[in-house]
Amino acid sequence: MRKKLVWVMLVCASVCFSFVNQKNEDPPLAQKKMLVLFGNMLRQRHYLKPVINDEFSSGIWNAYIKGLDARKIIFLQQDIDQLNKYSNYLDNEMLGDSIKFLPEVTRIYLQRYGEAAVIFRKILARPFVFNDQDSIGTQRDLSTFAKDNNELAERWTRLLKYMTLERMISLKQDNKSKGKTEAMLEQSARESILKQQNRFLLRINKYDQNRIFSNYLNAIARYSDPHSDYFPPVMREMFNQTMANRFCGIGAVLKENDDDISISSIEPGSPSAKSGLLAIDDKIIKIGEGTKTEMTDVAGMELSDVVNLIRGEEGSTVRIVCRKVDGREITVSLIRQEIKQEDGAARSAIVAKGGKKIGYIFLPSFYDDFQHEKGAHCADDMVAEVTGLMEQHVNGIIIDLRNNGGGSLREAIKMVGIFVGLGPVVQVRTDAEHVQVLNNSEQKAVYDGPLTVLVNEHSASASEIFAAAIQDYKRGIIVGDATFGKGTVQQTLPLGLNEYGAVKITCQKFYRINGSSTQMKGVIPDVIMPVAFESLAVREGKMPHAMDWDMINPSQFVLKDIPALDQAVMHASERLSADVRFKTIAQHNSWMEDYLDGRERTRKISELKKDMIAFATMMKSDESLQQLPPDKKMSFNATGNAMSPVQNQKWIQSISSDIYIDQAISTILDLIS
């Protein structure tokens, strides 16, 4: 089983890095070969088997233009008219014709962005005047591009004025801004936005043709569905490390600021810590591989690209130029070592409530080290955590899958077996005629006691398979918010003979054992808890080109006889409906949804200010509402040795006041009683 499923995974994430041509071929020739291989793979391996024709070409053309300039503030209409000649040509390129569209659209885009930079810098050089009776709006859904730079400047002015006002309102909510005048806040807001715009301009000007081509391949892949991706060779290795919950680096966590990247924390015992030279808030200036190679200036680079430069082979050297808080620049040479991602593994704790001991297990992802049999596998770790809790004689267990974006299909299937035993877990369809029922191999459940599973809008893919199986078997109670809605399976395949990287391609859809897909709809919890900031959630249904929901025939399975499960669900729902905190969060969500839907409309500044302040106030209020008052905090005791004592303490503090865990505990107590 391990070997058969070695490259099948379920993940809800995508990134892109620059392509590295390992054969040192002429770039246009290499790209032409890659595009043909890429097109063939889509036609033959993608679940939808797209037809590469003029309609497909037109769709990619529109998607790529929109990806470059969704707000229509870069291109002019004459540029679009000029590029329109390629709208039905991109399929020809995928069949072997010369690549013409990408070089031309890139040239025009970089030229126009440079011109736009002159416009936005000029606008942001002068203070905005906000008269309450004036009207502004972002007008994102404009139907046409600007006819000239004057119209373009008007669009930039509206957008930047709106962004500045929004940033001012945000600054007002910050205690650090107390005592500042409106003029001072306006200036701070404009300067912050200018830094962001300049950083993005610097970033795109650093893109080489390989990076641009990688992004283009990703645009084609994601036109087919949101979860297909192109992986350059270096990115494929990083993907493997992420799935395996391990990587080789220096043990420094980085953060992206308005105009730089700095160190936010340092892992104890790591190369960074041992050097004694790096510190929190040091700014990363340059990075070099080995001891003699030319160093790369990271100004304007994306955070993920900077991380990619720092990581590498175990035992290799990386040089970093950083700027200290006092302005000094130093160069530090570090030897990379394997970094254990303590916060990426399963971990557990026990809390006592109502005279009962409840076990709590947090699983951040369905990690699986494909390349190392003795590496990290989340199902094995889950068995260890469950066994440890059982030895402590807990009365029930909560599995927390919130913000778990998925991972290994194999591990999800094995994990269901820990709680259900032998039986079907999920159905996988390759096409209309080929449906396979995947069973777990556990003859007997490791744990058969009371169980709840906590999910939210970021629980995706493998998390949804696990939650759906528990729900279909009526093995436990699912609590939280509706999940993400990703019901597709991806497989990573080499592009060519591995020299061109790899493609993560959607090759199957998965279905619950009751026959329903989780695609688009996700898993609807038995006990629904209003989640703060729900209106900001991006689920599968909001993603461009997402596949539709459908059903197939159910599998044969036997329900688990869990006494009082339905009654516990009813009690929990009644309790939540009377909880003032959750009622307030639900009301805020409803208001925020209306507010966000109307953001693009042109409105009077006085009305906009009022709503922006209300939105910012609600955001701040909801952060507090999600925390239990100090006298109601839960008392958890960590179990196992997944993390260092310091990390354990931070984790225990973070979960002790979580209202969603508190409600999950009350729900499992209903089930126990």
Side-chain angles (χ1 to χ4, degrees):
M1 190 68 169
R2 180 175 294 274
K3 188 173 181 179
K4 182 178 180 182
L5 294 174
V6 69
W7 281 111
V8 177
M9 72 292 293
L10 298 139
V11 289
C12 186
S14 59
V15 285
C16 48
F17 288 79
S18 59
F19 156 68
V20 178
N21 183 359
Q22 293 183 340
K23 280 189 170 183
N24 294 318
E25 293 176 300
D26 176 56
L29 178 61
Q31 291 175 1
K32 186 175 180 180
K33 288 181 180 179
M34 290 172 68
L35 195 54
V36 171
L37 290 168
F38 198 73
N40 290 337
M41 188 171 289
L42 285 177
R43 285 200 310 269
Q44 297 167 13
R45 297 296 189 98
H46 196 278
Y47 179 84
L48 296 176
K49 303 293 190 296
V51 178
I52 311 298
N53 56 15
D54 285 354
E55 182 181 357
F56 188 81
S57 172
S58 178
I60 294 172
W61 186 91
N62 280 295
Y64 194 69
I65 295 292
K66 185 175 182 179
L68 290 176
D69 190 13
R71 289 190 176 275
K72 298 182 174 64
I73 54 174
I74 306 297
F75 290 119
L76 297 177
Q77 185 60 49
Q78 67 189 56
D79 302 325
I80 302 304
D81 294 340
Q82 179 181 338
L83 292 168
N84 190 54
K85 62 188 175 186
Y86 298 113
S87 62
N88 291 334
Y89 178 72
L90 306 189
D91 56 321
N92 298 51
E93 294 181 348
M94 297 178 74
L95 295 172
D97 283 3
S98 298
I99 298 176
K100 298 178 180 179
F101 169 66
L102 186 60
E104 186 162 352
V105 70
T106 301
R107 177 185 60 78
I108 294 173
Y109 180 74
L110 292 176
Q111 176 190 334
R112 294 302 187 198
Y113 211 108
E115 294 170 2
V118 175
I119 293 172
F120 71 65
R121 285 169 179 163
K122 183 178 179 181
I123 294 169
L124 290 171
R126 299 177 61 185
F128 288 113
V129 177
F130 296 101
N131 295 318
D132 284 350
Q133 296 308 307
D134 289 347
S135 298
I136 56 172
T138 58
Q139 296 180 312
R140 187 182 182 92
D141 295 327
L142 293 165
S143 58
T144 59
F145 289 83
K147 64 179 182 295
D148 54 35
N149 279 345
N150 289 331
E151 186 179 346
L152 206 63
E154 291 175 6
R155 295 185 180 190
W156 271 104
T157 300
R158 285 196 300 268
L159 176 62
L160 294 171
K161 190 172 184 178
Y162 184 97
M163 292 171 66
T164 300
L165 179 61
E166 196 169 45
R167 179 65 178 150
M168 284 176 65
I169 300 299
S170 177
L171 288 172
K172 282 184 178 180
Q173 304 294 313
D174 191 340
N175 291 329
K176 295 178 182 178
S177 298
K178 284 185 178 180
K180 289 188 176 181
T181 64
E182 288 284 314
M184 293 167 68
L185 290 171
E186 189 275 342
Q187 182 178 347
S188 295
R190 272 188 300 112
E191 289 174 350
S192 174
I193 291 166
L194 180 60
K195 285 180 180 179
Q196 292 173 356
Q197 294 296 332
N198 283 334
R199 181 173 174 79
F200 185 73
L201 177 63
L202 182 60
R203 178 179 299 169
I204 63 173
N205 282 332
K206 283 195 168 189
Y207 287 175
D208 61 15
Q209 61 176 318
N210 290 327
R211 173 61 181 265
I212 292 167
F213 187 68
S214 295
N215 290 350
Y216 180 57
L217 291 183
N218 270 299
I220 297 173
R222 291 168 196 165
Y223 177 70
S224 303
D225 81 284
H227 305 292
S228 291
D229 289 295
Y230 166 66
F231 287 160
V234 66
M235 184 53 208
R236 179 175 181 176
E237 178 57 30
M238 286 191 66
F239 178 77
N240 291 341
Q241 291 177 2
T242 300
M243 288 295 296
N245 199 34
R246 62 175 178 82
F247 67 91
C248 294
I250 64 171
V253 178
L254 307 183
K255 63 179 178 180
E256 187 170 7
N257 308 306
D258 284 345
D259 56 353
D260 59 53
I261 288 173
S262 61
I263 296 174
S264 64
S265 65
I266 293 176
E267 185 70 22
S270 67
S272 295
K274 291 175 182 176
S275 74
L277 298 173
L278 296 179
I280 293 172
D281 291 332
D282 284 355
K283 300 183 188 304
I284 307 299
I285 307 300
K286 295 180 181 180
I287 299 172
E289 181 66 30
T291 57
K292 296 181 180 179
T293 59
E294 184 178 350
M295 302 191 80
T296 301
D297 186 344
V298 303
M301 290 180 66
E302 294 182 27
L303 179 61
S304 55
D305 287 346
V306 176
V307 171
N308 182 42
L309 288 174
I310 291 177
R311 293 182 180 180
E313 294 292 327
E314 185 171 14
S316 60
T317 299
V318 60
R319 287 172 295 139
I320 299 173
V321 175
C322 65
R323 182 176 295 126
K324 310 297 284 186
V325 176
D326 61 9
R328 291 180 299 117
E329 287 192 6
I330 65 170
T331 301
V332 182
S333 293
L334 300 171
I335 306 297
R336 298 181 179 103
Q337 70 180 41
E338 184 168 332
I339 305 297
K340 183 181 179 182
Q341 300 187 82
E342 294 181 336
D343 60 353
R347 50 193 183 272
S348 63
I350 295 175
V351 62
K353 187 174 181 180
K356 304 293 183 182
K357 291 172 68 175
I358 306 301
Y360 168 81
I361 302 175
F362 176 69
L363 184 72
S365 70
F366 284 79
Y367 50 88
D368 190 6
D369 192 339
F370 296 127
Q371 298 176 329
H372 301 88
E373 186 72 26
K374 295 183 179 180
H377 309 288
C378 69
D380 294 340
D381 291 348
M382 181 62 69
V383 170
E385 298 296 339
V386 168
T387 302
L389 292 176
M390 291 171 66
E391 290 172 352
Q392 295 294 319
H393 306 292
V394 296
N395 300 105
I397 291 178
I398 297 167
I399 307 294
D400 192 346
L401 298 181
R402 289 176 301 169
N403 305 315
N404 183 324
S408 167
L409 171 61
R410 173 182 63 202
E411 295 299 296
I413 292 170
K414 289 168 65 177
M415 213 170 91
V416 171
I418 297 170
F419 302 97
V420 173
L422 189 65
V425 173
V426 64
Q427 302 184 84
V428 178
R429 182 165 77 171
T430 306
D431 52 47
E433 286 77 37
H434 297 89
V435 177
Q436 182 183 9
V437 179
L438 302 181
N439 299 271
N440 68 71
S441 57
E442 288 284 345
Q443 293 296 318
K444 185 179 179 182
V446 175
Y447 172 77
D448 60 3
L451 177 70
T452 62
V453 180
L454 189 54
V455 296
N456 67 2
E457 70 275 15
H458 300 300
S459 304
S461 207
S463 289
E464 294 173 292
I465 287 177
F466 179 82
I470 297 300
Q471 190 176 59
D472 289 346
Y473 275 106
K474 299 200 78 169
R475 170 61 187 86
I477 300 176
I478 312 300
V479 298
D481 194 19
T483 61
F484 184 83
K486 178 180 178 290
T488 55
V489 182
Q490 285 70 44
Q491 186 176 18
T492 299
L493 301 167
L495 189 62
L497 297 176
N498 244 354
E499 71 271 25
Y500 297 132
V503 179
K504 177 165 69 71
I505 194 165
T506 297
C507 55
Q508 297 170 320
K509 287 181 76 174
F510 66 77
Y511 297 81
R512 302 169 65 142
I513 52 177
N514 69 5
S516 175
S517 172
T518 60
Q519 179 65 15
M520 301 287 275
K521 293 187 176 183
V523 177
I524 308 301
D526 303 302
V527 178
I528 298 176
M529 292 191 281
V531 174
F533 319 126
E534 165 68 23
S535 53
L536 300 175
V538 178
R539 289 187 170 87
E540 182 84 3
K542 291 184 179 180
M543 300 184 76
H545 317 300
M547 294 187 190
D548 294 329
W549 175 89
D550 61 348
M551 286 190 70
I552 60 174
N553 292 327
S555 180
Q556 297 294 317
F557 62 98
V558 179
L559 293 175
K560 303 299 176 182
D561 184 18
I562 306 296
L565 188 143
D566 292 336
Q567 190 175 2
V569 168
M570 182 181 68
H571 285 168
S573 299
E574 289 173 351
R575 183 176 56 253
L576 278 166
S577 66
D579 191 301
V580 175
R581 292 167 304 177
F582 286 102
K583 288 170 71 173
T584 303
I585 289 172
Q587 291 167 359
H588 286 181
N589 285 342
S590 178
W591 185 92
M592 286 181 180
E593 187 172 357
D594 291 339
Y595 166 73
L596 292 171
D597 286 345
R599 287 179 77 191
E600 308 299 331
R601 298 197 314 266
T602 298
R603 302 169 60 197
K604 285 186 177 180
I605 287 178
S606 57
E607 297 174 2
L608 203 53
K609 277 183 180 178
K610 181 181 176 182
D611 283 351
M612 283 181 173
I613 291 170
F615 181 76
T617 302
M618 285 184 189
M619 291 281 284
K620 197 170 184 178
S621 171
D622 282 355
E623 289 179 3
S624 299
L625 285 170
Q626 294 180 94
Q627 303 297 314
L628 294 171
D631 61 331
K632 300 290 185 183
K633 281 189 176 183
M634 299 168 283
S635 181
F636 278 96
N637 292 311
T639 61
N641 297 299
M643 298 190 295
S644 66
V646 174
Q647 291 284 77
N648 257 331
Q649 186 178 6
K650 288 181 180 178
W651 177 59
I652 291 298
Q653 287 177 348
S654 70
I655 65 176
S656 64
S657 58
D658 189 316
I659 63 169
Y660 300 101
I661 297 176
D662 182 54
Q663 285 295 323
I665 291 170
S666 296
T667 300
I668 204 167
L669 288 174
D670 289 337
L671 188 58
I672 293 169
S673 62

